[in-house]
Each structure stands twice: as structure tokens, then as C-alpha cells.
């Protein structure tokens, strides 16, 4: 998941800013809206941490287990709330995708070993990546899901953005603007797609 350093920094900043905006959204709205904002904040900050350049912020060995536990719990929570609200099904997919990426990137996996130890380590990592660098079918399904999600969210954002100036502010501050919440979800969808592409 750690490509060129500049793209890692940009992805980390994008996800971090998105997570921070989700924290702002937690200050207003209904209980369901605040619950959704909390889930999206956890996702944004988790993605920012996972996208951090490994050369600058080398993840601890136990860090991947924390990702699995955190997003495994988030997946169970999303599964529980998905009975009432359909958007939690998207949170469920996102949490499971984070668990999957953490397992693929954990020490000993093909993606984690790739590039370690010079040319010999790169060769070893390449051999391991062929075995344990992720499940191509599962990665492909997640890519298709997020590509469709991004396109759908983008088309929903266009009319909202066009109608925004005519309607004026919603009165609840930055945290209560629906077009910004939708842009936040669109941003995280794009970031997730980019992270999955590097597996």
C-alpha cells in the first residue's frame, strides 16, 4: 500500500482531513447522523494511519493486529445497525475491507515483505506476493464495489452542489451540510479504491 512517498502523504492528508470533518459532524444532527459520523471518522483516521509512508512512520509489528481488532469490531457494529439503516451496510463493507488490507499488509504477508532487504528481499517478497499478496478475486470485487460507489456518490453530489447556492445554508453550521457529508463519503470511497489498487 506504500507507493511513492508523495502519493502516500497526499492520501494520508486526505483521509485525515476527512476524518476530522467527520468529527465536526458529530456535534450536530440526529443520533443516527452522529453515529454515522463516528463510524466514518474511525474509518477516515484508520485509512490515514494505514496510508502513512512506511519509511517515515514504520508500523509496529502489533499494529496490524490492532487494525484487525478495531475494524473487526466496527464490522460487527455495522452489521448490528444495518438492520435499521441501509448506509451501515456500506460501513460493513468498508470495515471488512480494512480488515482484509490489514491482513494482507501484516508482517509475513507478500505485500509487507515486498521490497525488504534489497534485491534479495525484493525477489523473496515477489515470490511471497504471488502466494499471499491478497486474494485477486476478493480484491477485484472490492474494487468493483468502490468504483460503483464512487460513481454513484459523484452523480448524487452534482445536483446537490448545483442546488446548494439557491437553497442557502442549512443553518446547522459546517457539520450539518449534507453535500459536505456526501463529499466526505465520496473522498473516502476514492481513497479506499486507491489503497486497494496497490495490493
Amino acid at each position: 500500500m506504500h507507493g511513492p512517498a508523495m502519493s502516500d502523504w497526499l492520501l494520508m492528508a486526505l483521509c485525515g482531513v476527512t476524518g476530522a470533518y467527520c468529527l465536526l459532524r458529530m456535534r450536530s444532527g440526529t443520533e443516527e447522523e452522529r453515529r454515522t459520523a463516528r463510524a466514518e471518522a474511525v474509518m477516515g483516521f484508520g485509512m490515514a494511519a494505514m496510508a502513512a509512508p512506511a519509511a517515515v512512520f514504520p508500523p509496529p509489528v502489533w499494529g496490524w493486529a490492532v487494525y484487525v481488532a478495531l475494524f473487526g469490531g466496527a464490522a460487527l457494529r455495522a452489521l448490528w445497525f444495518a438492520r435499521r439503516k441501509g448506509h451501515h451496510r456500506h460501513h460493513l463493507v468498508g470495515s471488512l475491507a480494512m480488515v482484509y488490507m490489514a491482513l494482507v499488509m501484516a508482517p509475513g504477508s507478500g505485500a509487507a515483505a515486498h521490497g525488504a532487504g534489497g534485491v534479495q528481499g525484493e525477489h523473496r517478497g515477489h515470490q511471497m506476493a504471488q502466494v499471499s499478496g491478497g486474494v485477486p478475486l476478493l480484491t477485484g470485487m472490492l474494487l468493483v464495489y468502490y468504483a460503483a460507489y464512487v460513481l454513484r456518490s459523484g452523480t448524487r453530489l452534482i445536483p446537490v452542489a448545483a442546488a446548494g447556492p439557491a437553497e442557502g445554508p442549512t443553518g446547522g453550521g459546517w457539520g450539518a451540510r449534507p453535500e459536505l457529508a456526501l463529499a466526505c463519503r465520496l473522498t473516502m470511497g476514492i481513497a479506499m479504491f486507491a489503497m486497494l489498487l496497490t495490493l
Side-chain angles (χ1 to χ4, degrees), residues 103-188:
L103 290 172
V104 171
M105 297 301 296
S109 74
H114 187 70
V119 176
Q120 185 179 359
E122 184 175 347
H123 178 66
R124 240 189 348 260
H126 180 68
Q127 288 177 325
M128 292 179 69
Q130 292 175 340
V131 178
S132 58
V135 181
L137 179 60
L138 181 54
T139 303
M141 290 172 62
L142 287 169
L143 284 170
V144 169
Y145 173 83
Y146 277 101
Y149 180 81
V150 165
L151 291 173
R152 179 175 175 267
S153 298
T155 56
R156 288 177 57 205
L157 187 60
I158 293 170
V160 172
E167 293 174 359
T170 57
W174 286 97
R177 298 186 62 165
E179 70 275 15
L180 291 180
L182 185 56
C184 170
R185 295 178 188 128
L186 175 62
T187 300
M188 284 197 289

